Amino acid sequence: MNPNSNSSNFFSKVYSVTNLIPAGRVTSYGAIARFIGSPQAARMVGWALNSTKKLPYWVPAHRVVNRNGLLTGKKHFIGNNTMQELLLSEGIEVEDGKIINFQKVFWDPMLELDDVIL
DNA sequence: CGTCTGACGCACG
DNA sequence: GCGTGCGCCAGAC
């Protein structure tokens, strides 16, 4: 874990937090960005997750959506519906590329990892 | 080294 | 409540 030596600390934090997202829960790019200390770098979170495709280990990038619970990054997965399928398989209700009970399944690292220092 | 782009988020109208 | 514009940070050209 934490193979950050290669990448910037920013990326490694994104990977670490994303890996801590429990199955059946999701979080947002902005939430991660805030947690790692760059609240205005939400776009970079997505950028970092995009590069997880080439990482030697698995990162549950499908558990990260935008603040509206919209699966904005689904087109970056192998198939057009891969992201939604993965979420559905974890018990997350998704309809037309959007998480239904987003507020219910939302996992905020600021609250769950408030005692964790990356 | 300058410029464009992008899995976002927020302010405005 | 919805569409548009702008700023953010890092990487690719």
Side-chain angles (χ1 to χ4, degrees), chain A residues 2-42:
Chain A
N2 199 354
N4 58 40
S5 301
N6 290 343
S7 312
S8 299
N9 194 257
F10 182 92
F11 277 59
S12 72
K13 284 182 177 177
V14 174
Y15 302 150
S16 298
V17 176
T18 305
N19 272 314
L20 291 175
I21 303 174
R25 291 297 190 84
V26 297
T27 190
S28 67
Y29 303 98
I32 295 177
R34 284 205 310 162
F35 181 72
I36 63 179
S38 300
Q40 297 175 313

Side-chain angles (χ1 to χ4, degrees), chain A residues 26 61-65 69-100:
Chain A
V26 297
H62 61 284
R63 295 178 192 150
V64 185
V65 297
L70 201 61
L71 279 54
T72 53
K74 63 180 180 180
K75 58 184 71 175
H76 293 272
F77 285 80
I78 310 293
N80 286 327
N81 223 30
T82 305
M83 189 176 185
Q84 182 168 323
E85 290 295 322
L86 288 171
L87 290 172
L88 288 173
S89 68
E90 296 181 349
I92 298 177
E93 300 177 50
V94 181
E95 181 179 308
D96 194 35
K98 185 192 174 195
I99 297 175
I100 305 299

Side-chain angles (χ1 to χ4, degrees), chain A residues 35-57:
Chain A
F35 181 72
I36 63 179
S38 300
Q40 297 175 313
R43 303 186 82 171
M44 286 300 89
V45 175
W47 190 269
L49 291 176
N50 184 26
S51 61
T52 60
K53 288 187 296 188
K54 66 179 185 179
L55 290 179
Y57 53 91

